[in-house]
Amino acid sequence: MVSGGTYGTEDIVHGAGYGRAILILLITPLLWSLPTAFMIGELSSALPFEGGYYAWVRRAMGNFWGFQEAWLSLVASIFDMAIYPTLFVAYLTRMFPWFQENGRGWWVALAVVVACAILNIAGVKVVSLTSLWLFLALSAPFVAIVVLAPFKLGALVNAVTKPTTSTVDILGGLLICMWNYMGWDNASTIATEVERPQRTYPRAMLVAVGIVALSYVLPFAAMWATGLKSTAWETGAWADIAGLLGGPLLRIGVVLGGMISAFGMFNALVMSYSRLPLAMAQDGMLPGFFGKLQKKSRAPWVAIVALAIGWAMCLGLGFARLVTLDILLYGASLLLEFMALAVLRFREPNLKRPFRVPGGLFGAIAIGIPPMLLLGFSVVRSEHEQIWNMSSFAFGMILIAAGFVAYFVNHALKPAGWSAQQEGKAQPVA
């Protein structure tokens, strides 16, 4: 599933209304997801190195920009990971409002962070969200919504719903939509294992995008037909809306599904994100203690603990603000990846590429234009949000600038930690 599936999409309707929300959900993956998946498909098939995206940028543009890619990805992950405990609490409080009072929700979110950090350090294997059966279980409530809605055409026009506190507008809804369509890079890393990748891979990605888009659009279209007002939607509202449509059992199903989805995504991503500081420490980009491993599980426990502290510090920022910062910083790292794609096409035209973005050098450059144009909306949005007495944009720029400072400090303190390009140390991913 992409960014946890249908859970967390509610504010798109609140900000844009039904018609425009459905249009956004249909167009965004074509401009945002497919170009990103194709770019990462080429780079991962040509350079299947440990460290992935920052290894590609280092090879294309050198140590400085490689470090910035790693820094931006790591900082963006701090805000991205804080989103999932926030969603966990949003669905929990729909069933048990008591947790919403006196800051109890923050403690619940913190408990999710601590529990997943401990599970990962201990090496406990939790069922992955890639499991087909778990995917079906999490999708079942939304299938029920699509099936039941035609029996209540116009029946919820005057439905009384819980007053919402969402301030998300159409621009915020677009950014949440972009967040919900992140994660395609996970599928693109298997481009080398696909038979006839130049033909099969684009078709497979188009089909996958279509399936995911339908999984988002159909439940909203079904609820639109019931006459429910768009102002009834906010983060976690699927639970109450499912209750109006199918009664308490469907409401419970959505609540449990939302909590399991958020917990499972967070737990799985702890392992993924914690390997970035580990790889950076091994390459001399971070102090060596970030590379320390737990003796039995071999988990990078120092990296996990350090990241968990960062995630905990961001828990109170709120869903919409976290998404804005995540997209802003992730977008900066994505820009470097698209630049690496074009630079490598120019500098290393003979590099073996089992999958290639079509269109030659022009195609490699042009494919990055639509995602970068969409990212301009995150800049506009972040200028109108406040965090710690400054705009989210200013805060994001400070974090980006900190990467420049960190590079020069690190290079000054440990210049021997950098080799020319680290090609000799890079190993193919098993």
Side-chain angles (χ1 to χ4, degrees), residues 155-167:
L156 301 182
V157 172
N158 298 315
V160 177
T161 58
K162 178 181 177 181
T164 60
T165 58
S166 175
T167 58

Side-chain angles (χ1 to χ4, degrees), residues 5 195 249 332:
E195 184 179 352
L249 285 180

Side-chain angles (χ1 to χ4, degrees), residues 319-405:
F319 178 69
R321 190 179 289 112
L322 286 169
V323 168
T324 300
L325 287 167
D326 184 19
I327 295 292
L328 180 67
L329 296 167
Y330 170 78
S333 69
L334 196 64
L335 172 62
L336 293 179
E337 292 172 34
F338 278 111
M339 290 174 63
L341 174 70
V343 169
L344 286 172
R345 281 286 192 95
F346 180 77
R347 290 181 55 189
E348 301 187 44
N350 297 322
L351 180 67
K352 184 179 179 181
R353 296 172 171 88
F355 173 78
R356 297 173 66 94
V357 174
L361 180 59
F362 174 79
I365 296 173
I367 199 172
I369 295 176
M372 292 307 107
L373 291 176
L374 281 179
L375 287 169
F377 291 111
S378 71
V379 174
V380 174
R381 177 67 178 181
S382 62
E383 289 180 339
H384 296 87
E385 285 187 345
Q386 293 293 311
I387 176 172
W388 296 326
N389 296 321
M390 68 180 79
S391 70
S392 294
F393 178 77
F395 182 69
M397 291 303 101
I398 290 173
L399 293 176
I400 292 174
F404 288 61
V405 175

Side-chain angles (χ1 to χ4, degrees), residues 290-315:
F290 281 100
K292 288 187 176 182
L293 304 177
Q294 207 275 340
K295 291 182 179 179
K296 291 185 178 180
S297 67
R298 307 299 295 169
W301 68 272
V302 174
I304 291 174
V305 170
L307 288 172
I309 293 172
W311 301 329
M313 291 176 64
C314 296
L315 291 177

Side-chain angles (χ1 to χ4, degrees), residues 144-366:
I145 287 171
V146 172
V147 171
L148 292 173
F151 296 99
K152 292 197 175 184
L153 294 178
L156 301 182
V157 172
N158 298 315
V160 177
T161 58
K162 178 181 177 181
T164 60
T165 58
S166 175
T167 58
V168 173
D169 54 13
I170 187 171
L171 191 54
L174 173 61
L175 295 184
I176 291 171
C177 181
M178 291 167 65
W179 176 78
N180 273 280
Y181 277 114
M182 286 167 54
W184 295 100
D185 49 333
N186 296 325
S188 61
T189 57
I190 62 170
T192 55
E193 302 175 35
V194 176
E195 184 179 352
R196 294 184 299 174
Q198 286 302 122
R199 181 179 180 181
T200 306
Y201 186 75
R203 292 183 178 182
M205 290 307 301
L206 283 169
V207 171
V209 166
I211 292 173
V212 173
L214 285 177
S215 74
Y216 291 169
V217 168
L218 288 180
F220 283 134
M223 292 309 305
W224 191 10
T226 68
L228 184 70
K229 296 177 181 178
S230 61
T231 53
W233 296 86
E234 65 176 347
T235 304
W238 270 123
D240 294 342
I241 290 166
L244 290 173
L245 190 67
L249 285 180
L250 187 56
R251 182 168 182 260
I252 292 171
V254 170
V255 169
L256 292 177
M259 293 168 62
I260 292 170
S261 173
F263 186 93
M265 286 292 292
F266 185 90
N267 186 71
L269 288 171
V270 169
M271 182 178 68
S272 174
Y273 282 132
S274 64
R275 269 54 183 179
L276 181 55
L278 171 64
M280 292 173 70
Q282 291 172 344
D283 286 346
M285 288 187 174
L286 286 177
F289 60 79
F290 281 100
K292 288 187 176 182
L293 304 177
Q294 207 275 340
K295 291 182 179 179
K296 291 185 178 180
S297 67
R298 307 299 295 169
W301 68 272
V302 174
I304 291 174
V305 170
L307 288 172
I309 293 172
W311 301 329
M313 291 176 64
C314 296
L315 291 177
L317 294 180
F319 178 69
R321 190 179 289 112
L322 286 169
V323 168
T324 300
L325 287 167
D326 184 19
I327 295 292
L328 180 67
L329 296 167
Y330 170 78
S333 69
L334 196 64
L335 172 62
L336 293 179
E337 292 172 34
F338 278 111
M339 290 174 63
L341 174 70
V343 169
L344 286 172
R345 281 286 192 95
F346 180 77
R347 290 181 55 189
E348 301 187 44
N350 297 322
L351 180 67
K352 184 179 179 181
R353 296 172 171 88
F355 173 78
R356 297 173 66 94
V357 174
L361 180 59
F362 174 79
I365 296 173

